[in-house]
Amino acid sequence: MRSIESTTLAVCAALSTALGCNAIWGISDGKPSADPALTGAGGAAGGTGGAAEDGGGGDGGAGENASACPSEPFTVRAPEGCQAADSDHDYLSDPENCCVPGRSCLGGECAEGRCTPVILTTTVLEEHTPIGIAVEGEGENGRVLWGSGYGGTVFATEKAAGGSTEPLVVLDSTVTMLARDESSLFITDWNLPHVRRVPLQGNITVPTVATAEGASRAWQPVAGNGWLYWVTETLQEDEAPDAPAAPHRIWAARADQADQTGLLVLDKDAYVGGLALDSTHLYWTEMERGATQISVQRMALGEPSEPELVASIRVGADEQLGDITVGERIYWVAAGDIYAADKDGSGAGVLAAADYPNRILLDSTFVYWFSMGDEQLRRVRTSGGAPETLAESPHAHALAQDCRAIYWTTEGTETSPPSVRMLAK
């Protein structure tokens, strides 16, 4: 069994570490991309498809606090559900009134009442690989923060279509996954066991928050309520192709301190798929080596205490566990599908067939994910039903959101450069 993170970072390892501001950094100037594999004026990518809980997933996926967002994000996708054209607008094609009055596609096109994605920025394949992503602030004045993998840089891209991209901080580090609380950005390095912190206001200093002693490959950070949690995987030298993946550990540290030794949350022969927070607990998905069950565990926030089993799903041999997110209920990836359960573990079952999602996130109405099989951004209502395809996007890595849009990073290929993209909800 191979973790999704291992697969992702193995690709990054082949990239150059050379750092190329805009041309120097190997980053586009914020103008719409001329990527020939994408369609739509203004850098909008053609696609098939038209607020989060605190800490609801690794990699900055939580976005802003759901309580600050409308209770019902835009839900209509089929043209027959859109408002009819009037003397002022064609609601099937007007990008500022797409499907219904006042719904903006945020720089994308409106095609048959569906918004198309916008490429916020692209970079050079040999210099940066956008992986981790987080968002800061609402509206066009906000920023998308993203890590460039072996490029060693955290960039800040304006949320507005055609906005600028600037380096926030350059590190002697493999900048992979990101998480943020209200005032800080936390960074993990795939080659090192520690977590760093970048303040989002004031002077940019980058202290090491905590180190996981005797471990390596830090990833999946989540932060909230004064605490930081992350996962490590022990580095294995000269690993055989068919060797089992290294077991994982979960660590805890206080988010407002520096130079700490991480506190062990999980230390056993098991794999971890993802971490998530609500206001009271840390949640994770876990699978012991050789087992045929994927479980959801939780622990009260704060210093490590005895974990509590929430739910357990039987799976086939060699199946994968994956990401997790939490709101009113818990949603997680197991054996390629998305499962859901109440927080007391009741009502556990499949929410949607998902074709092996690499990341999931949640708002008040939908669960969103990228399916690795067909490389599509999809969503399903938190109550279940038929999944909807929102956009096609090859080689997507991480997801984040605010009240108005979904944001993600793409790895890039020889014909499609690495990018940061946005889709209006």
Side-chain angles (χ1 to χ4, degrees):
M1 181 182 73
R2 296 288 176 197
S3 70
I4 291 168
E5 282 72 25
S6 297
T7 303
T8 297
L9 272 299
V11 174
C12 299
L15 300 179
S16 166
T17 61
L19 290 175
C21 242
N22 293 350
I24 295 176
W25 295 100
I27 300 293
S28 73
D29 60 5
K31 300 294 193 299
S33 170
D35 183 348
L38 301 167
T39 62
T48 57
E53 299 295 330
D54 289 341
D59 238 9
E64 302 299 322
N65 189 334
S67 64
C69 296
S71 59
E72 180 84 359
F74 179 73
T75 58
V76 175
R77 290 290 165 185
E80 57 267 22
C82 296
Q83 184 163 323
D86 57 28
S87 59
D88 296 319
H89 306 290
D90 179 351
Y91 294 102
L92 297 183
S93 63
D94 186 341
E96 296 303 318
N97 299 274
C98 191
C99 194
V100 294
R103 182 193 177 217
S104 173
C105 289
L106 307 178
E109 293 186 328
C110 178
E112 294 298 308
R114 299 173 176 176
C115 290
T116 61
V118 176
I119 297 178
L120 294 179
T121 191
T122 62
T123 184
V124 178
L125 181 62
E126 293 79 12
E127 296 178 357
H128 303 285
T129 297
I131 303 176
I133 190 170
V135 295
E136 180 196 17
E138 285 287 347
E140 292 190 355
N141 294 325
R143 303 185 296 178
V144 181
L145 311 173
W146 53 277
S148 72
Y150 283 80
T153 307
V154 177
F155 287 97
T157 296
E158 294 176 341
K159 289 181 180 178
S164 66
T165 293
E166 300 290 344
L168 181 68
V169 63
V170 181
L171 303 170
D172 182 15
S173 178
T174 307
V175 179
T176 51
M177 296 186 181
L178 308 177
R180 59 160 285 250
D181 61 13
E182 292 185 358
S183 59
S184 298
L185 184 71
F186 298 93
I187 305 168
T188 54
D189 184 328
W190 185 245
N191 292 322
L192 297 172
H194 56 242
V195 182
R196 293 177 173 176
R197 179 177 61 236
V198 176
L200 295 175
Q201 294 90 31
N203 295 328
I204 298 297
T205 57
V206 191
T208 296
V209 179
T211 296
E213 291 187 339
S216 187
R217 288 180 171 170
W219 48 281
Q220 281 281 27
V222 292
N225 295 289
W227 284 87
L228 168 70
Y229 302 91
W230 73 103
V231 178
T232 62
E233 176 182 320
T234 303
L235 182 65
Q236 299 184 96
E237 300 292 341
D238 301 322
E239 184 181 282
D242 58 349
H248 298 151
R249 292 179 174 181
I250 302 175
W251 303 82
R254 296 187 181 274
D256 60 351
Q257 297 181 17
D259 296 326
Q260 304 164 81
T261 298
L263 305 172
L264 268 171
V265 173
L266 177 72
D267 183 18
K268 61 183 180 181
D269 198 12
Y271 305 106
V272 176
L275 306 178
L277 299 178
D278 66 8
S279 61
T280 60
H281 287 83
L282 168 72
Y283 297 78
W284 68 89
T285 52
E286 176 186 315
M287 185 176 186
E288 295 190 33
R289 193 196 293 265
T292 56
Q293 292 204 347
I294 292 174
S295 65
V296 175
Q297 307 275 346
R298 74 177 185 178
M299 184 196 77
L301 295 182
E303 295 192 6
S305 58
E306 186 67 25
E308 173 189 358
L309 174 65
V310 178
S312 183
I313 300 295
R314 184 172 294 278
V315 297
D318 299 321
E319 280 289 2
Q320 289 184 340
L321 75 172
D323 205 10
I324 184 171
T325 187
V326 60
E328 294 298 320
R329 305 184 77 206
I330 309 165
Y331 304 86
W332 72 98
V333 177
D337 296 326
I338 294 176
Y339 285 75
D342 294 335
K343 289 185 177 180
D344 63 1
S346 63
V350 176
L351 180 75
D355 201 6
Y356 289 94
N358 61 348
R359 283 288 177 269
I360 61 173
L361 59 77
L362 171 72
D363 63 21
S364 59
T365 308
F366 294 102
V367 180
Y368 302 84
W369 72 91
F370 271 109
S371 58
M372 296 180 67
D374 56 15
E375 299 185 321
Q376 293 182 335
L377 173 63
R378 291 177 172 168
R379 71 178 188 180
V380 68
R381 286 184 174 270
T382 56
S383 57
E388 301 173 74
T389 297
L390 304 181
E392 296 180 353
S393 184
H395 304 287
H397 276 310
L399 283 167
Q401 67 174 329
D402 57 20
C403 294
R404 65 178 195 153
I406 303 292
Y407 306 85
W408 67 95
T409 55
T410 71
E411 176 184 302
T413 65
E414 291 183 357
T415 59
S416 178
S419 65
V420 178
R421 305 188 185 197
M422 172 182 70
L423 177 65
K425 289 185 177 180

